[in-house]
Amino acid sequence: MLTNQEIVPFVKANKSKIQNYFYRKSYPNKKWFEKFQKHELNTFYLLTIEEPRELCKFLNTSYYHLEKLINNPVYNNYTIKKKKGGERQISAPEEQLKKIQKRLNYFLQAYYLMIKPNEIHGFVVNPHYLGRRCNILENAKVHIGKKFVLNIDLKDFFPNISSMQVKQVFTSDYFRFNEQIATAITLLTTYESKLPIGSPASPVISNFICIQLDNTLKKFAEATGLTYTRYADDLTFSSNTEISNDTILNIINLIRKNNFEVNEKKLRLKTANRKQTVTGITVNEKANVDRKLLKKVRAMLHDLTKNGIDKATQKHFNLKSEVDTRHKEKFINRLKGYINFVGQVKGKEDLFYIKQKLAFDAIFSQV
């Protein structure tokens, strides 16, 4: 496995070999490639880009089409309601730009997988051949049974990441793209000078932006006897010794020095005699699902069984108008997601999970 410092020089030294492998789908010295896993090879291919023609080939598009997407990006802007009040601005790219962003996301995810800290669990792909997982459960597990759990939320996570920061990442030692390529990729993945909520590439780019923040907080946690994890914009610190106000202020200052702001309304420190949660999972004694969610799953299923999909959807979303197909699909997907989440946290042998899963399947096997 190459170290972070070795990856880019290695790719530059073997550029033609790597590109020939991807362009021809074969190479005379195929054994040279067999020692690498798929995500490593995808990383190498991404890092070979040095010229506009190589970027076009990489993105499977023409120079004219790429220039058009860069100069005139089209986004669909709309707002959605947040669970706890307020609205979130979504900027969703049109189909052609979205396709480009999805391809960039695929290769950027492969690269991030090679260099990511173990403490990061959000917006990470998990190839089955690696035998490891990154999800909210893994993020919560390390904080189980701790006497003190500190939750910190980063304010306006994506919108606070500027296009300048994105470009700086692409010109940094992690990529070493030249000015032209770094600018092009930045313009393809940012909108109105920031990282848009709605782009397929925004999550993984945010992880690259956070590398310095994560390394800083990891070192601080190790020096002060804390356990640290991050899932997207949710930061968690835990300890069996008291987390003082000075420690919290130091963490906040480190976050600000890395160009992020803390959402002070969501900052909370919980002791073991109160309910401690990490990314929605209770961690006091074991990983468990909040009772409120279990109650919600029961209520949604009961309503669905007794009153049918239309009335259940109308009640769940508090709709006064007629229920449309989009809302019904959203209700079904949300309920299914809740049930799967329960199974993920409590285990597939858990009686509550089994009962709700059977009830859900029974309803939709008849549709």
Side-chain angles (χ1 to χ4, degrees), residues 37-53:
Q37 301 202 48
K38 187 176 180 181
H39 68 282
E40 293 172 327
L41 289 173
N42 286 337
T43 297
F44 300 160
Y45 183 30
L46 169 69
L47 295 175
T48 62
I49 301 169
E50 291 181 312
E51 301 173 23
R53 64 179 178 82

Side-chain angles (χ1 to χ4, degrees), residues 141-170:
K141 276 182 178 179
V142 296
H143 303 289
I144 292 173
K146 296 292 183 72
K147 291 181 180 179
F148 299 88
V149 174
L150 172 67
N151 302 105
I152 295 177
D153 181 83
L154 298 180
K155 189 177 180 181
D156 298 329
F157 187 46
F158 284 1
N160 269 340
I161 296 174
S162 68
S163 55
M164 182 64 72
Q165 288 174 281
V166 174
K167 185 180 174 183
Q168 285 172 350
V169 164
F170 288 133

Side-chain angles (χ1 to χ4, degrees), residues 157-221:
F157 187 46
F158 284 1
N160 269 340
I161 296 174
S162 68
S163 55
M164 182 64 72
Q165 288 174 281
V166 174
K167 185 180 174 183
Q168 285 172 350
V169 164
F170 288 133
T171 55
S172 72
D173 284 343
Y174 287 103
F175 291 91
R176 296 191 195 174
F177 288 143
N178 61 43
E179 183 79 11
Q180 192 175 20
I181 298 301
T183 300
I185 296 177
T186 299
L187 291 172
L188 286 167
T189 54
T190 58
Y191 179 59
E192 294 182 341
S193 300
K194 57 182 180 284
L195 208 56
I197 302 173
S199 163
S202 288
V204 68
I205 291 174
S206 73
N207 273 341
F208 277 103
I209 297 290
C210 284
I211 287 175
Q212 186 176 332
L213 172 69
D214 292 325
N215 288 335
T216 300
L217 294 178
K218 180 182 175 182
K219 287 178 183 176
F220 178 83

Side-chain angles (χ1 to χ4, degrees), residues 69-239:
L69 291 176
I70 288 171
N71 293 328
N72 298 291
V74 179
Y75 285 80
N76 177 26
N77 298 307
Y78 58 94
T79 58
I80 59 172
K81 291 182 179 178
K82 294 182 180 180
K83 289 182 181 178
K84 296 183 178 180
E87 293 184 333
R88 178 172 283 113
Q89 177 73 37
I90 307 296
S91 297
E94 56 80 32
E95 206 54 42
Q96 291 181 318
L97 181 56
K98 186 177 181 180
K99 187 177 178 181
I100 294 288
Q101 291 174 351
K102 278 185 174 181
R103 184 162 175 82
L104 283 167
N105 172 65
Y106 178 78
F107 286 89
L108 287 168
Q109 287 283 11
Y111 187 14
Y112 186 70
L113 196 64
M114 288 186 69
I115 64 173
K116 81 166 206 69
N118 293 329
E119 292 78 10
I120 311 311
H121 300 279
F123 303 147
V124 181
V125 294
N126 297 279
H128 62 87
Y129 54 79
L130 291 180
R132 65 174 188 249
R133 295 178 180 177
C134 291
N135 52 45
I136 56 174
L137 179 59
E138 296 302 314
N139 183 67
K141 276 182 178 179
V142 296
H143 303 289
I144 292 173
K146 296 292 183 72
K147 291 181 180 179
F148 299 88
V149 174
L150 172 67
N151 302 105
I152 295 177
D153 181 83
L154 298 180
K155 189 177 180 181
D156 298 329
F157 187 46
F158 284 1
N160 269 340
I161 296 174
S162 68
S163 55
M164 182 64 72
Q165 288 174 281
V166 174
K167 185 180 174 183
Q168 285 172 350
V169 164
F170 288 133
T171 55
S172 72
D173 284 343
Y174 287 103
F175 291 91
R176 296 191 195 174
F177 288 143
N178 61 43
E179 183 79 11
Q180 192 175 20
I181 298 301
T183 300
I185 296 177
T186 299
L187 291 172
L188 286 167
T189 54
T190 58
Y191 179 59
E192 294 182 341
S193 300
K194 57 182 180 284
L195 208 56
I197 302 173
S199 163
S202 288
V204 68
I205 291 174
S206 73
N207 273 341
F208 277 103
I209 297 290
C210 284
I211 287 175
Q212 186 176 332
L213 172 69
D214 292 325
N215 288 335
T216 300
L217 294 178
K218 180 182 175 182
K219 287 178 183 176
F220 178 83
E222 289 170 351
T224 53
L226 300 172
T227 298
Y228 166 67
T229 63
R230 180 176 64 83
Y231 190 94
D233 56 353
D234 289 320
L235 281 55
T236 305
F237 299 84
S238 64
S239 177

Side-chain angles (χ1 to χ4, degrees), residues 177-309:
F177 288 143
N178 61 43
E179 183 79 11
Q180 192 175 20
I181 298 301
T183 300
I185 296 177
T186 299
L187 291 172
L188 286 167
T189 54
T190 58
Y191 179 59
E192 294 182 341
S193 300
K194 57 182 180 284
L195 208 56
I197 302 173
S199 163
S202 288
V204 68
I205 291 174
S206 73
N207 273 341
F208 277 103
I209 297 290
C210 284
I211 287 175
Q212 186 176 332
L213 172 69
D214 292 325
N215 288 335
T216 300
L217 294 178
K218 180 182 175 182
K219 287 178 183 176
F220 178 83
E222 289 170 351
T224 53
L226 300 172
T227 298
Y228 166 67
T229 63
R230 180 176 64 83
Y231 190 94
D233 56 353
D234 289 320
L235 281 55
T236 305
F237 299 84
S238 64
S239 177
N240 282 321
T241 57
E242 186 178 359
I243 301 176
S244 67
N245 287 334
D246 285 345
T247 298
I248 295 172
L249 287 173
N250 285 334
I251 291 171
I252 292 172
N253 285 333
L254 290 173
I255 290 169
R256 286 175 177 163
K257 283 180 181 178
N258 282 274
N259 302 311
F260 289 99
E261 283 296 323
V262 171
N263 186 343
E264 294 184 9
K265 292 179 181 178
K266 292 186 177 181
L267 190 151
R268 59 190 185 274
L269 175 63
K270 295 292 180 69
T271 54
N273 60 350
R274 300 181 67 189
K275 185 174 72 174
Q276 299 168 322
T277 60
V278 177
T279 48
I281 297 173
T282 306
V283 294
N284 289 70
E285 295 177 4
K286 63 178 182 178
N288 210 343
V289 180
D290 193 298
R291 289 179 184 177
K292 288 181 182 178
L293 180 60
L294 300 180
K295 190 176 179 181
K296 181 181 279 189
V297 171
R298 271 200 214 96
M300 289 173 75
L301 267 172
H302 174 76
D303 215 12
L304 184 62
T305 306
K306 187 179 178 181
N307 301 315
I309 183 65

Side-chain angles (χ1 to χ4, degrees), residues 324-341:
D324 58 23
T325 303
R326 181 175 60 87
H327 279 110
K328 285 189 279 189
E329 286 177 354
K330 192 175 178 181
F331 175 88
I332 294 166
N333 290 334
R334 183 170 291 184
L335 178 56
K336 185 178 180 181
Y338 285 155
I339 293 170
N340 288 338
F341 174 68

